[in-house]
Amino acid sequence: MVKISVLQHDLSSHTATRPGDPTPVSRNLNPLVHPFSRARERTRALNAAKMDRMFAKPFVGALEGHVDAVEVLAKQGDSISTVASGSWDGGIIVHNLSQRIQMAQLPQGHKGKVTGLSLVGDSRLLSCGVDCNVKLWKIGSDEPVNVFPGKYAFNSIDHQRSSSIFATASTLVQIWDETKSAPISNLTFPTSTETISSVRFNLSESSILASVGSDRTFTLYDIRTGKAERRVVMQMRANALSWSPTFPTNILLASEDHNLYTFDIRRLDAPSLIYKGHVAAVMSCDWSPTGTEFVSGGWDRTVRIWQTGQGHSPEVYHTKRMQRVTSTLFTTDARFVLSGSDDGNVRIWKGKASERLGIVTARERAAVEYRSSLVDRWKMDKEVGKVVRTRHLPKPVYTANKLKNTMLESKRVKEERRRKHTRAGESKPKPERKKVVLVEQT
């Protein structure tokens, strides 16, 4: 006879829990049994919003080394940690963010202010300045690999990702090749007398580039035709621009009128959205690599992070010592923001103010996501929404904001009274977006 032995398993081993795990409980999901579930959920949402503000400590650190105002920042497209900064004293520093060290320091990279930087590939850097020179550096070397002399002071520079072509901005836009010492083409609008303040290549269609100038213009160029295709004259001049990394037709402009504008280049008669919050000129802007948010820095000494499609209530970063912000940047992992200001420091901020740095366990991540979903679900509640929207502002910014709101309200009342006392149909209210662009030229 064959004996069959029966194996018995201890089922208790499969339900064993780790030390510290909550005791599993069974719940009756019938909503009639839980009449106070919505009240409990609202209380949890309010507590989650308050905890988010309590743990909001965005400042990470500062990168020192410059002795004058930081004018420009540039990041490496395929690296998380490599960032270059240029100063008014002509110095250039290449930083390693993860180790907080200087990979290269060029105290006299240019004679006078450094106005443009662009990291090329893994180990090269392009820089331009008011000394009418463009210099190509190898990171780690004290002498430039090549010098491209120009006739005018340069204000900005940008390099194509996949070729040796780069563009500079001065009194006109010039296209250069790294292998040639002179510009291969000059791009300008026929009736233009402007000084170009910033130029950027489109991230998707590399033959398209855009520029903003001192005569309140925003211009699109095509290097295949060698001429300016379209130009828009705005109400006030723009100081900086940035192409969206996820929507190639979207572009962001930082304006002198305290606002930021997003345009769809297929329709330039009006901006697609206006972002209001700054109380002084906006000097710089940069998209997050995800395309869902962007950062701006202004003359009001604040750094603001905006959600795409939401033109109000941005995240506001400031410190007592930070002066006027001249350059801002999102890191390539979208987790951190960099700002350069007049006090000579490059500051590192968190992209999300209350985010915890370091290792986060799965349970903690799930709790954070749950609290975030609660706040998002209850943000229309009066108390929860107030906690979510409220941001502490420095006293000068708070005072200027109140004064600005008073002036805008008085302007609105004045237009309303003028329209009230004119003949019916003569004066029609004009949407705010329609006032930005004065004329479009082709």
Side-chain angles (χ1 to χ4, degrees), residues 145-188:
V145 177
N146 203 351
V147 179
F148 307 90
K151 294 182 180 179
Y152 312 102
F154 294 108
N155 298 319
S156 180
I157 191 170
D158 194 33
H159 198 285
Q160 275 190 353
R161 284 188 173 183
S162 57
S163 70
S164 60
I165 291 176
F166 62 93
T168 57
S170 53
T171 57
L172 70 166
V173 175
Q174 293 180 310
I175 306 299
W176 304 71
D177 194 315
E178 289 181 23
T179 60
K180 297 178 174 59
S181 60
I184 57 178
S185 66
N186 296 331
L187 306 178
T188 183

mmCIF file of all heavy atoms in Angstrom, residues 145-188:
data_model
loop_
_atom_site.group_PDB
_atom_site.id
_atom_site.type_symbol
_atom_site.label_atom_id
_atom_site.label_comp_id
_atom_site.label_asym_id
_atom_site.label_seq_id
_atom_site.Cartn_x
_atom_site.Cartn_y
_atom_site.Cartn_z
ATOM 1 N N VAL A 145 38.209 77.790 -26.126
ATOM 2 C CA VAL A 145 38.570 76.992 -27.295
ATOM 3 C C VAL A 145 38.490 77.830 -28.556
ATOM 4 O O VAL A 145 39.315 77.703 -29.463
ATOM 5 C CB VAL A 145 37.622 75.763 -27.406
ATOM 6 C CG1 VAL A 145 37.935 74.950 -28.665
ATOM 7 C CG2 VAL A 145 37.730 74.902 -26.171
ATOM 8 N N ASN A 146 37.506 78.729 -28.624
ATOM 9 C CA ASN A 146 37.321 79.583 -29.788
ATOM 10 C C ASN A 146 36.655 80.879 -29.353
ATOM 11 O O ASN A 146 35.905 80.908 -28.375
ATOM 12 C CB ASN A 146 36.453 78.868 -30.834
ATOM 13 C CG ASN A 146 36.678 79.418 -32.232
ATOM 14 O OD1 ASN A 146 37.344 80.437 -32.411
ATOM 15 N ND2 ASN A 146 36.105 78.749 -33.227
ATOM 16 N N VAL A 147 36.973 81.952 -30.093
ATOM 17 C CA VAL A 147 36.384 83.266 -29.833
ATOM 18 C C VAL A 147 35.756 83.763 -31.129
ATOM 19 O O VAL A 147 36.394 83.770 -32.177
ATOM 20 C CB VAL A 147 37.440 84.280 -29.324
ATOM 21 C CG1 VAL A 147 36.790 85.639 -29.098
ATOM 22 C CG2 VAL A 147 38.085 83.782 -28.037
ATOM 23 N N PHE A 148 34.478 84.177 -31.040
ATOM 24 C CA PHE A 148 33.752 84.698 -32.199
ATOM 25 C C PHE A 148 33.524 86.194 -31.989
ATOM 26 O O PHE A 148 32.643 86.577 -31.213
ATOM 27 C CB PHE A 148 32.411 83.975 -32.374
ATOM 28 C CG PHE A 148 32.521 82.476 -32.427
ATOM 29 C CD1 PHE A 148 32.454 81.712 -31.262
ATOM 30 C CD2 PHE A 148 32.703 81.829 -33.633
ATOM 31 C CE1 PHE A 148 32.547 80.339 -31.313
ATOM 32 C CE2 PHE A 148 32.791 80.449 -33.702
ATOM 33 C CZ PHE A 148 32.725 79.695 -32.531
ATOM 34 N N PRO A 149 34.302 87.049 -32.641
ATOM 35 C CA PRO A 149 34.132 88.496 -32.429
ATOM 36 C C PRO A 149 32.912 89.039 -33.171
ATOM 37 O O PRO A 149 32.558 88.573 -34.262
ATOM 38 C CB PRO A 149 35.427 89.085 -33.005
ATOM 39 C CG PRO A 149 35.867 88.099 -34.030
ATOM 40 C CD PRO A 149 35.419 86.750 -33.554
ATOM 41 N N GLY A 150 32.257 90.020 -32.562
ATOM 42 C CA GLY A 150 31.101 90.659 -33.184
ATOM 43 C C GLY A 150 31.273 92.165 -33.225
ATOM 44 O O GLY A 150 32.239 92.712 -32.687
ATOM 45 N N LYS A 151 30.321 92.852 -33.854
ATOM 46 C CA LYS A 151 30.393 94.305 -33.974
ATOM 47 C C LYS A 151 29.656 95.017 -32.842
ATOM 48 O O LYS A 151 29.942 96.173 -32.556
ATOM 49 C CB LYS A 151 29.784 94.743 -35.312
ATOM 50 C CG LYS A 151 30.565 94.279 -36.527
ATOM 51 C CD LYS A 151 29.919 94.799 -37.805
ATOM 52 C CE LYS A 151 30.696 94.342 -39.044
ATOM 53 N NZ LYS A 151 30.049 94.835 -40.295
ATOM 54 N N TYR A 152 28.698 94.326 -32.219
ATOM 55 C CA TYR A 152 27.861 94.965 -31.216
ATOM 56 C C TYR A 152 27.881 94.138 -29.928
ATOM 57 O O TYR A 152 28.257 92.967 -29.941
ATOM 58 C CB TYR A 152 26.411 95.102 -31.711
ATOM 59 C CG TYR A 152 26.290 95.680 -33.097
ATOM 60 C CD1 TYR A 152 26.034 94.843 -34.194
ATOM 61 C CD2 TYR A 152 26.433 97.042 -33.329
ATOM 62 C CE1 TYR A 152 25.921 95.356 -35.469
ATOM 63 C CE2 TYR A 152 26.324 97.561 -34.598
ATOM 64 C CZ TYR A 152 26.067 96.717 -35.675
ATOM 65 O OH TYR A 152 25.966 97.234 -36.938
ATOM 66 N N ALA A 153 27.460 94.770 -28.832
ATOM 67 C CA ALA A 153 27.347 94.058 -27.559
ATOM 68 C C ALA A 153 26.236 93.023 -27.662
ATOM 69 O O ALA A 153 25.145 93.307 -28.160
ATOM 70 C CB ALA A 153 27.054 95.039 -26.434
ATOM 71 N N PHE A 154 26.505 91.807 -27.189
ATOM 72 C CA PHE A 154 25.521 90.724 -27.250
ATOM 73 C C PHE A 154 24.665 90.726 -25.987
ATOM 74 O O PHE A 154 25.163 90.981 -24.886
ATOM 75 C CB PHE A 154 26.224 89.379 -27.396
ATOM 76 C CG PHE A 154 26.958 89.218 -28.701
ATOM 77 C CD1 PHE A 154 28.347 89.235 -28.746
ATOM 78 C CD2 PHE A 154 26.264 89.049 -29.888
ATOM 79 C CE1 PHE A 154 29.022 89.087 -29.945
ATOM 80 C CE2 PHE A 154 26.928 88.902 -31.092
ATOM 81 C CZ PHE A 154 28.316 88.927 -31.123
ATOM 82 N N ASN A 155 23.376 90.424 -26.164
ATOM 83 C CA ASN A 155 22.438 90.397 -25.039
ATOM 84 C C ASN A 155 21.943 89.001 -24.686
ATOM 85 O O ASN A 155 21.446 88.784 -23.583
ATOM 86 C CB ASN A 155 21.218 91.273 -25.350
ATOM 87 C CG ASN A 155 21.601 92.721 -25.561
ATOM 88 O OD1 ASN A 155 22.434 93.259 -24.840
ATOM 89 N ND2 ASN A 155 21.005 93.351 -26.559
ATOM 90 N N SER A 156 22.047 88.046 -25.619
ATOM 91 C CA SER A 156 21.544 86.702 -25.361
ATOM 92 C C SER A 156 22.157 85.729 -26.353
ATOM 93 O O SER A 156 22.621 86.140 -27.427
ATOM 94 C CB SER A 156 20.007 86.687 -25.472
ATOM 95 O OG SER A 156 19.501 85.393 -25.235
ATOM 96 N N ILE A 157 22.139 84.446 -25.981
ATOM 97 C CA ILE A 157 22.664 83.401 -26.862
ATOM 98 C C ILE A 157 21.886 82.117 -26.623
ATOM 99 O O ILE A 157 21.418 81.858 -25.505
ATOM 100 C CB ILE A 157 24.187 83.186 -26.603
ATOM 101 C CG1 ILE A 157 24.802 82.302 -27.694
ATOM 102 C CG2 ILE A 157 24.432 82.587 -25.228
ATOM 103 C CD1 ILE A 157 26.318 82.257 -27.645
ATOM 104 N N ASP A 158 21.728 81.318 -27.676
ATOM 105 C CA ASP A 158 21.067 80.020 -27.557
ATOM 106 C C ASP A 158 21.628 79.085 -28.618
ATOM 107 O O ASP A 158 21.923 79.514 -29.740
ATOM 108 C CB ASP A 158 19.554 80.147 -27.710
ATOM 109 C CG ASP A 158 18.829 78.892 -27.248
ATOM 110 O OD1 ASP A 158 19.322 78.247 -26.304
ATOM 111 O OD2 ASP A 158 17.779 78.558 -27.819
ATOM 112 N N HIS A 159 21.776 77.819 -28.260
ATOM 113 C CA HIS A 159 22.386 76.821 -29.140
ATOM 114 C C HIS A 159 21.351 75.771 -29.519
ATOM 115 O O HIS A 159 20.534 75.359 -28.695
ATOM 116 C CB HIS A 159 23.570 76.150 -28.424
ATOM 117 C CG HIS A 159 24.505 75.437 -29.355
ATOM 118 N ND1 HIS A 159 24.202 74.217 -29.936
ATOM 119 C CD2 HIS A 159 25.744 75.760 -29.809
ATOM 120 C CE1 HIS A 159 25.214 73.829 -30.700
ATOM 121 N NE2 HIS A 159 26.156 74.742 -30.640
ATOM 122 N N GLN A 160 21.398 75.334 -30.791
ATOM 123 C CA GLN A 160 20.555 74.227 -31.212
ATOM 124 C C GLN A 160 20.998 72.934 -30.526
ATOM 125 O O GLN A 160 22.186 72.728 -30.298
ATOM 126 C CB GLN A 160 20.613 74.045 -32.726
ATOM 127 C CG GLN A 160 19.661 74.920 -33.505
ATOM 128 C CD GLN A 160 19.590 74.520 -34.970
ATOM 129 O OE1 GLN A 160 20.350 73.670 -35.424
ATOM 130 N NE2 GLN A 160 18.688 75.153 -35.706
ATOM 131 N N ARG A 161 20.037 72.083 -30.220
ATOM 132 C CA ARG A 161 20.371 70.855 -29.484
ATOM 133 C C ARG A 161 21.151 69.859 -30.331
ATOM 134 O O ARG A 161 22.031 69.161 -29.826
ATOM 135 C CB ARG A 161 19.092 70.184 -28.985
ATOM 136 C CG ARG A 161 18.467 70.868 -27.788
ATOM 137 C CD ARG A 161 17.332 70.046 -27.235
ATOM 138 N NE ARG A 161 16.811 70.594 -25.995
ATOM 139 C CZ ARG A 161 15.862 70.028 -25.276
ATOM 140 N NH1 ARG A 161 15.323 68.895 -25.677
ATOM 141 N NH2 ARG A 161 15.435 70.576 -24.161
ATOM 142 N N SER A 162 20.837 69.779 -31.612
ATOM 143 C CA SER A 162 21.334 68.664 -32.416
ATOM 144 C C SER A 162 22.304 69.070 -33.521
ATOM 145 O O SER A 162 22.556 68.287 -34.428
ATOM 146 C CB SER A 162 20.139 67.920 -33.042
ATOM 147 O OG SER A 162 19.357 68.826 -33.812
ATOM 148 N N SER A 163 22.832 70.273 -33.476
ATOM 149 C CA SER A 163 23.769 70.691 -34.520
ATOM 150 C C SER A 163 24.782 71.671 -33.933
ATOM 151 O O SER A 163 24.775 71.960 -32.730
ATOM 152 C CB SER A 163 23.017 71.336 -35.696
ATOM 153 O OG SER A 163 22.481 72.592 -35.306
ATOM 154 N N SER A 164 25.639 72.194 -34.787
ATOM 155 C CA SER A 164 26.669 73.133 -34.343
ATOM 156 C C SER A 164 26.247 74.586 -34.522
ATOM 157 O O SER A 164 27.070 75.484 -34.435
ATOM 158 C CB SER A 164 27.959 72.873 -35.133
ATOM 159 O OG SER A 164 27.724 73.062 -36.529
ATOM 160 N N ILE A 165 24.981 74.831 -34.769
ATOM 161 C CA ILE A 165 24.485 76.189 -35.024
ATOM 162 C C ILE A 165 24.014 76.828 -33.725
ATOM 163 O O ILE A 165 23.382 76.169 -32.886
ATOM 164 C CB ILE A 165 23.340 76.155 -36.060
ATOM 165 C CG1 ILE A 165 23.892 75.759 -37.430
ATOM 166 C CG2 ILE A 165 22.615 77.480 -36.147
ATOM 167 C CD1 ILE A 165 22.834 75.608 -38.493
ATOM 168 N N PHE A 166 24.315 78.112 -33.552
ATOM 169 C CA PHE A 166 23.795 78.860 -32.419
ATOM 170 C C PHE A 166 23.411 80.262 -32.876
ATOM 171 O O PHE A 166 23.824 80.732 -33.944
ATOM 172 C CB PHE A 166 24.812 78.915 -31.264
ATOM 173 C CG PHE A 166 26.106 79.607 -31.576
ATOM 174 C CD1 PHE A 166 26.279 80.968 -31.302
ATOM 175 C CD2 PHE A 166 27.181 78.909 -32.119
ATOM 176 C CE1 PHE A 166 27.470 81.603 -31.564
ATOM 177 C CE2 PHE A 166 28.377 79.542 -32.388
ATOM 178 C CZ PHE A 166 28.536 80.894 -32.117
ATOM 179 N N ALA A 167 22.580 80.916 -32.073
ATOM 180 C CA ALA A 167 22.057 82.246 -32.410
ATOM 181 C C ALA A 167 22.420 83.229 -31.311
ATOM 182 O O ALA A 167 22.454 82.879 -30.126
ATOM 183 C CB ALA A 167 20.540 82.200 -32.584
ATOM 184 N N THR A 168 22.696 84.478 -31.714
ATOM 185 C CA THR A 168 22.994 85.543 -30.764
ATOM 186 C C THR A 168 22.044 86.707 -30.996
ATOM 187 O O THR A 168 21.515 86.886 -32.097
ATOM 188 C CB THR A 168 24.444 86.040 -30.907
ATOM 189 O OG1 THR A 168 24.653 86.490 -32.256
ATOM 190 C CG2 THR A 168 25.436 84.945 -30.562
ATOM 191 N N ALA A 169 21.850 87.502 -29.951
ATOM 192 C CA ALA A 169 20.967 88.665 -30.030
ATOM 193 C C ALA A 169 21.759 89.917 -29.682
ATOM 194 O O ALA A 169 22.416 89.972 -28.638
ATOM 195 C CB ALA A 169 19.794 88.499 -29.072
ATOM 196 N N SER A 170 21.695 90.903 -30.565
ATOM 197 C CA SER A 170 22.299 92.218 -30.303
ATOM 198 C C SER A 170 21.348 93.257 -30.898
ATOM 199 O O SER A 170 20.205 93.345 -30.483
ATOM 200 C CB SER A 170 23.713 92.295 -30.889
ATOM 201 O OG SER A 170 23.712 91.938 -32.263
ATOM 202 N N THR A 171 21.807 94.034 -31.878
ATOM 203 C CA THR A 171 20.878 94.901 -32.603
ATOM 204 C C THR A 171 20.101 94.114 -33.653
ATOM 205 O O THR A 171 19.148 94.630 -34.222
ATOM 206 C CB THR A 171 21.641 96.051 -33.285
ATOM 207 O OG1 THR A 171 22.641 95.486 -34.143
ATOM 208 C CG2 THR A 171 22.302 96.943 -32.254
ATOM 209 N N LEU A 172 20.531 92.875 -33.888
ATOM 210 C CA LEU A 172 19.848 91.963 -34.795
ATOM 211 C C LEU A 172 20.137 90.537 -34.350
ATOM 212 O O LEU A 172 21.005 90.311 -33.495
ATOM 213 C CB LEU A 172 20.289 92.175 -36.245
ATOM 214 C CG LEU A 172 21.704 91.754 -36.655
ATOM 215 C CD1 LEU A 172 21.795 91.734 -38.166
ATOM 216 C CD2 LEU A 172 22.773 92.670 -36.094
ATOM 217 N N VAL A 173 19.405 89.592 -34.903
ATOM 218 C CA VAL A 173 19.641 88.181 -34.604
ATOM 219 C C VAL A 173 20.612 87.630 -35.629
ATOM 220 O O VAL A 173 20.393 87.753 -36.838
ATOM 221 C CB VAL A 173 18.322 87.388 -34.631
ATOM 222 C CG1 VAL A 173 18.587 85.902 -34.450
ATOM 223 C CG2 VAL A 173 17.386 87.876 -33.536
ATOM 224 N N GLN A 174 21.704 87.034 -35.133
ATOM 225 C CA GLN A 174 22.728 86.464 -36.019
ATOM 226 C C GLN A 174 22.828 84.965 -35.796
ATOM 227 O O GLN A 174 22.782 84.494 -34.657
ATOM 228 C CB GLN A 174 24.083 87.120 -35.766
ATOM 229 C CG GLN A 174 24.132 88.589 -36.161
ATOM 230 C CD GLN A 174 25.485 89.212 -35.890
ATOM 231 O OE1 GLN A 174 26.026 89.091 -34.791
ATOM 232 N NE2 GLN A 174 26.060 89.866 -36.894
ATOM 233 N N ILE A 175 22.963 84.222 -36.892
ATOM 234 C CA ILE A 175 23.123 82.767 -36.844
ATOM 235 C C ILE A 175 24.586 82.444 -37.100
ATOM 236 O O ILE A 175 25.175 82.910 -38.080
ATOM 237 C CB ILE A 175 22.225 82.077 -37.882
ATOM 238 C CG1 ILE A 175 20.763 82.527 -37.712
ATOM 239 C CG2 ILE A 175 22.325 80.568 -37.753
ATOM 240 C CD1 ILE A 175 20.171 82.204 -36.362
ATOM 241 N N TRP A 176 25.167 81.641 -36.212
ATOM 242 C CA TRP A 176 26.588 81.286 -36.281
ATOM 243 C C TRP A 176 26.733 79.773 -36.400
ATOM 244 O O TRP A 176 25.837 79.014 -36.043
ATOM 245 C CB TRP A 176 27.329 81.742 -35.025
ATOM 246 C CG TRP A 176 27.225 83.199 -34.697
ATOM 247 C CD1 TRP A 176 26.118 83.863 -34.246
ATOM 248 C CD2 TRP A 176 28.261 84.173 -34.778
ATOM 249 N NE1 TRP A 176 26.405 85.190 -34.037
ATOM 250 C CE2 TRP A 176 27.710 85.410 -34.351
ATOM 251 C CE3 TRP A 176 29.602 84.139 -35.163
ATOM 252 C CZ2 TRP A 176 28.458 86.582 -34.293
ATOM 253 C CZ3 TRP A 176 30.350 85.302 -35.100
ATOM 254 C CH2 TRP A 176 29.783 86.511 -34.683
ATOM 255 N N ASP A 177 27.910 79.375 -36.884
ATOM 256 C CA ASP A 177 28.314 77.970 -36.897
ATOM 257 C C ASP A 177 29.610 77.870 -36.109
ATOM 258 O O ASP A 177 30.504 78.718 -36.248
ATOM 259 C CB ASP A 177 28.513 77.473 -38.328
ATOM 260 C CG ASP A 177 28.598 75.953 -38.401
ATOM 261 O OD1 ASP A 177 29.309 75.370 -37.561
ATOM 262 O OD2 ASP A 177 27.960 75.356 -39.285
ATOM 263 N N GLU A 178 29.713 76.836 -35.266
ATOM 264 C CA GLU A 178 30.918 76.677 -34.429
ATOM 265 C C GLU A 178 32.183 76.544 -35.266
ATOM 266 O O GLU A 178 33.283 76.864 -34.790
ATOM 267 C CB GLU A 178 30.771 75.445 -33.539
ATOM 268 C CG GLU A 178 29.756 75.585 -32.427
ATOM 269 C CD GLU A 178 29.702 74.333 -31.573
ATOM 270 O OE1 GLU A 178 30.694 73.583 -31.560
ATOM 271 O OE2 GLU A 178 28.670 74.104 -30.920
ATOM 272 N N THR A 179 32.048 76.078 -36.514
ATOM 273 C CA THR A 179 33.227 75.865 -37.360
ATOM 274 C C THR A 179 33.627 77.108 -38.141
ATOM 275 O O THR A 179 34.630 77.084 -38.851
ATOM 276 C CB THR A 179 32.945 74.722 -38.346
ATOM 277 O OG1 THR A 179 31.807 75.069 -39.163
ATOM 278 C CG2 THR A 179 32.650 73.427 -37.589
ATOM 279 N N LYS A 180 32.856 78.195 -38.035
ATOM 280 C CA LYS A 180 33.154 79.420 -38.784
ATOM 281 C C LYS A 180 33.295 80.583 -37.817
ATOM 282 O O LYS A 180 32.630 80.644 -36.789
ATOM 283 C CB LYS A 180 32.057 79.713 -39.809
ATOM 284 C CG LYS A 180 31.920 78.626 -40.881
ATOM 285 C CD LYS A 180 30.782 78.939 -41.832
ATOM 286 C CE LYS A 180 30.732 77.937 -42.981
ATOM 287 N NZ LYS A 180 30.550 76.550 -42.532
ATOM 288 N N SER A 181 34.135 81.532 -38.166
ATOM 289 C CA SER A 181 34.436 82.654 -37.272
ATOM 290 C C SER A 181 33.514 83.843 -37.485
ATOM 291 O O SER A 181 33.532 84.783 -36.703
ATOM 292 C CB SER A 181 35.891 83.100 -37.469
ATOM 293 O OG SER A 181 36.109 83.507 -38.816
ATOM 294 N N ALA A 182 32.720 83.835 -38.542
ATOM 295 C CA ALA A 182 31.806 84.938 -38.846
ATOM 296 C C ALA A 182 30.385 84.399 -38.905
ATOM 297 O O ALA A 182 30.163 83.210 -39.184
ATOM 298 C CB ALA A 182 32.177 85.603 -40.171
ATOM 299 N N PRO A 183 29.369 85.235 -38.659
ATOM 300 C CA PRO A 183 27.983 84.765 -38.733
ATOM 301 C C PRO A 183 27.611 84.322 -40.139
ATOM 302 O O PRO A 183 28.020 84.940 -41.126
ATOM 303 C CB PRO A 183 27.168 85.979 -38.276
ATOM 304 C CG PRO A 183 28.068 87.151 -38.449
ATOM 305 C CD PRO A 183 29.448 86.656 -38.240
ATOM 306 N N ILE A 184 26.838 83.259 -40.239
ATOM 307 C CA ILE A 184 26.459 82.733 -41.557
ATOM 308 C C ILE A 184 25.209 83.434 -42.093
ATOM 309 O O ILE A 184 24.942 83.377 -43.284
ATOM 310 C CB ILE A 184 26.244 81.209 -41.502
ATOM 311 C CG1 ILE A 184 25.189 80.829 -40.453
ATOM 312 C CG2 ILE A 184 27.547 80.496 -41.194
ATOM 313 C CD1 ILE A 184 24.888 79.345 -40.381
ATOM 314 N N SER A 185 24.425 84.086 -41.219
ATOM 315 C CA SER A 185 23.264 84.851 -41.700
ATOM 316 C C SER A 185 22.825 85.841 -40.631
ATOM 317 O O SER A 185 23.057 85.630 -39.428
ATOM 318 C CB SER A 185 22.100 83.920 -42.060
ATOM 319 O OG SER A 185 21.602 83.273 -40.915
ATOM 320 N N ASN A 186 22.213 86.924 -41.101
ATOM 321 C CA ASN A 186 21.647 87.949 -40.228
ATOM 322 C C ASN A 186 20.128 87.957 -40.419
ATOM 323 O O ASN A 186 19.637 88.026 -41.541
ATOM 324 C CB ASN A 186 22.217 89.335 -40.562
ATOM 325 C CG ASN A 186 23.704 89.405 -40.306
ATOM 326 O OD1 ASN A 186 24.233 88.717 -39.438
ATOM 327 N ND2 ASN A 186 24.398 90.237 -41.064
ATOM 328 N N LEU A 187 19.407 87.889 -39.313
ATOM 329 C CA LEU A 187 17.954 87.877 -39.362
ATOM 330 C C LEU A 187 17.420 89.160 -38.737
ATOM 331 O O LEU A 187 17.749 89.477 -37.588
ATOM 332 C CB LEU A 187 17.390 86.670 -38.601
ATOM 333 C CG LEU A 187 17.920 85.286 -38.994
ATOM 334 C CD1 LEU A 187 17.287 84.225 -38.117
ATOM 335 C CD2 LEU A 187 17.629 85.004 -40.460
ATOM 336 N N THR A 188 16.609 89.881 -39.493
ATOM 337 C CA THR A 188 16.011 91.099 -38.968
ATOM 338 C C THR A 188 14.720 91.395 -39.703
ATOM 339 O O THR A 188 14.530 90.959 -40.842
ATOM 340 C CB THR A 188 16.987 92.286 -39.091
ATOM 341 O OG1 THR A 188 16.390 93.440 -38.498
ATOM 342 C CG2 THR A 188 17.316 92.577 -40.543
#
